[in-house]
Structures are given as structure tokens and as C-alpha cells.
Amino acid sequence: MFFDARILDFDAKPEEITTTDKKYMNVDSYSKWRIVNPLTFYTKVRTIQGAQARLDDIVRSQLRVALGRYTLIEVVSHKRQEIMDAVTSRSRELLKPYGIEILDVRIKRTDLPAENARAIFGRMKAERERQAKQYRSEGREASAPHPRHGRQGTVHHSGRCGQAVRDSTRPGATPRPLKSTRMP
């Protein structure tokens, strides 16, 4: 019987994993591996399919353990390399008795489950609506008649970063010019 001595790929099925902050995410990962001891490999797992089943069990469990120690933000940003190194080294130890060497474990993609994404988009929409309501009320306040002067307030735009300055001068007075910081 002959076994491939080249580096092989194992593309795992996406799996839902829970992080420390109780957030769910779908994780799609893959592994690079090779057969280092053909006799042990044959006696323990017999075939490439048997090895992939063992890889799936061990790598998947190590991913769940490692990702479960971190928050969602840490997983998708600055801790990813540390997590992948830990999963690779621990999987390597566990697969050595099968004549298999794990060279690398990587996350291809992380997604939020559909229900989480809908909830997040709902919160984002509610926040934008709240901001829009606040801006509309500020606009109504700025355009309402001034109680002391009995006239409409005017809003002058400075032209810088959308800042608005309300004219609070007396009726009939000329608005004071805004200082410009633009270079000639």
C-alpha cells in the first residue's frame, strides 16, 4: 500500500462556535497536514478518509476550546494568530500517535449566524433612527421663532466640517462674520 508523502489539505465544514462573551459565530477552517509515519498511519486510521475523520474530530474540538477562551472582537482582530498557533500546536500533539503531522490550521472565514446578523442590523438601524430623530429635533429648534425676538432663527454654516452656528443677535442686527481658517 502507498501513501502520499506530500502536504495534504483538509477543508472542514463550517461550524457554529460560542465565544467567551456568549456570541455565536460560524467558523470555516482548513488544515495542512502530512503522513510522517506510514506504518502507524496504516495501523491507526488505514485510509486518507479515516485520517480526515480523525483530523475533523481533533482540529474541530481544539478550535472550539481555543475560540471559547476569547471574545468575538479578540477572535476577529488582534488575537487570531495566537489562537491559530495554539490550535496548531495542540492538534499536532494529539495527532502524532496516528502518524500524522499538522503543519498549519487556519480560519478561512468567520461569520455571524443569520439571526445574530439580523439582530445587529436591527440595533444599527435603531441607533441611526435615534440619531436622525435628534438631528430633526435640533433642526426644528433652530428654525422655531425665538421667544424673545419673535422671529425665525437663522443657521449659518461655517463651511468647515458641517458646523452650524446659530444667529443669536438682536433683530435688525447684522450677523457677525465667522472666522475662516482656510489658507489663501
Side-chain angles (χ1 to χ4, degrees):
M1 176 155 262
F2 294 98
F3 292 111
D4 203 342
R6 296 177 294 177
I7 295 174
L8 305 169
D9 292 328
F10 175 67
D11 191 2
K13 294 178 187 169
E15 177 186 21
E16 188 170 279
I17 294 177
T18 308
T19 59
T20 299
D21 52 354
K22 304 298 181 208
K23 300 273 180 6
Y24 294 97
M25 61 185 202
N26 291 325
V27 177
D28 191 5
S29 65
Y30 71 93
S31 306
K32 299 272 188 195
W33 64 284
R34 69 178 166 203
I35 301 167
V36 290
N37 187 336
L39 181 59
T40 305
F41 180 84
Y42 182 72
T43 57
K44 299 281 183 161
V45 292
R46 296 216 179 264
T47 64
I48 298 291
Q49 291 78 17
Q52 288 178 339
R54 184 63 47 210
L55 277 165
D56 190 37
D57 292 341
I58 291 174
V59 171
R60 207 177 273 258
S61 69
Q62 292 308 308
L63 267 173
R64 274 194 306 271
V65 168
L67 294 175
R69 292 182 183 145
Y70 296 95
T71 65
L72 179 66
I73 300 298
E74 291 172 331
V75 169
V76 297
S77 62
H78 59 280
K79 295 279 186 177
R80 182 174 268 192
Q81 185 61 44
E82 180 182 323
I83 294 168
M84 292 297 90
D85 291 343
V87 169
T88 301
S89 67
R90 184 68 181 132
S91 297
R92 186 177 294 135
E93 291 171 22
L94 294 172
L95 285 164
K96 197 172 202 168
Y98 297 96
I100 298 171
E101 178 186 21
I102 288 280
L103 302 171
D104 199 15
V105 176
R106 292 284 159 205
I107 293 177
K108 287 195 305 187
R109 184 180 179 126
T110 56
D111 289 321
L112 294 174
E115 57 275 357
N116 283 19
R118 276 188 235 111
I120 288 171
F121 292 139
R123 283 195 302 265
M124 289 169 59
K125 183 179 177 184
E127 177 64 20
R128 297 301 180 270
E129 287 173 355
R130 186 192 64 74
Q131 286 177 342
K133 186 177 179 181
Q134 180 182 350
Y135 293 148
R136 282 192 295 271
S137 79
E138 288 172 1
R140 279 190 217 105
E141 181 183 303
S143 66
H146 194 279
R148 204 166 28 173
H149 306 300
R151 67 178 180 86
Q152 295 281 21
T154 56
V155 177
H156 299 282
H157 294 281
S158 67
R160 280 187 70 229
C161 303
Q163 297 172 343
V165 179
R166 184 161 184 212
D167 179 22
S168 60
T169 60
R170 297 186 319 257
T174 349
R176 60 184 159 79
L178 297 172
K179 293 182 181 177
S180 175
T181 58
R182 295 186 189 169
M183 299 300 285

